[in-house]
Amino acid sequence: MSEKLWYHNGLKFQCTGCGGCCTGAPGFVWVNKAEIEAMAAAIKIDVATFERRYVRQIGIRRSLTEFSNGDCVFFDAERRTCQIYEVRPRQCRTWPFWTSNLRTPQCWAAMAEHCPGANHGPVVPLSEIEARRSKLAGV
Ligand code: SF4
């Protein structure tokens, strides 16, 4: 019989909109072709212009650019909100249910120290956690 995942009863999560995961230390928001096309359409510019302004090549992958302080290029610092929320990339949609955060209870706890939405709000069931996690394999 297979062992139960440590989070088989689900995990509490409700985003507070603090913007913590969109700001701060430099990082990467990986994007693919479909996501780039959706974001470009949402802000009504063509894909080539979007890529020139907002995408950087990192090896064989592509990431959104960021401001010099590390904030995501689409984070509105005044309103503390994402300017492209409806078309945000998978990496943002699936947070915090990434494999790296779910590996152990300790990994989850370490993430929760920086994400006030973790361990708060309604329980997200295992099926939903796994659905989100599988969308972002390898992160
Ligand atoms: S750090 Fe957590 S609570 Fe804050 S915006 Fe990101 S997901 Fe939401």
Side-chain angles (χ1 to χ4, degrees):
M1 203 165 74
S2 62
E3 243 177 72
K4 276 185 181 169
L5 294 164
W6 71 266
Y7 50 89
H8 69 273
N9 285 328
L11 290 164
K12 286 185 177 181
F13 174 67
Q14 185 165 51
C15 179
T16 66
C18 73
C21 57
C22 323
T23 59
F28 302 104
V29 179
W30 304 114
V31 289
N32 63 23
K33 184 170 178 282
E35 290 168 331
I36 289 170
E37 288 170 356
M39 290 184 282
I43 63 172
K44 298 182 170 51
I45 62 174
D46 61 74
V47 168
T49 304
F50 185 95
E51 290 182 332
R52 203 167 51 248
R53 288 184 190 166
Y54 304 120
V55 178
R56 55 195 162 136
Q57 191 78 35
I58 311 286
I60 59 166
R61 304 170 81 186
R62 289 184 290 176
S63 171
L64 292 179
T65 54
E66 54 191 20
F67 295 116
S68 56
N69 64 358
D71 291 3
C72 175
V73 72
F74 288 113
F75 185 69
D76 181 333
E78 262 179 38
R79 293 167 54 223
R80 303 292 301 169
T81 187
C82 174
Q83 299 180 72
I84 54 154
Y85 189 79
E86 293 305 320
V87 290
R88 66 197 186 286
R90 282 167 310 157
Q91 184 170 328
C92 312
R93 287 178 189 279
T94 55
W95 175 264
F97 302 114
W98 297 355
T99 298
S100 54
N101 292 333
L102 293 167
R103 197 157 284 136
T104 64
Q106 292 75 22
C107 292
W108 179 263
M111 174 282 299
E113 284 180 18
H114 308 286
C115 173
N119 298 327
H120 292 92
V123 172
V124 179
L126 178 62
S127 57
E128 174 64 20
I129 292 172
E130 289 301 274
R132 291 207 217 172
R133 189 175 68 79
S134 65
K135 282 186 190 145
L136 207 65
V139 176

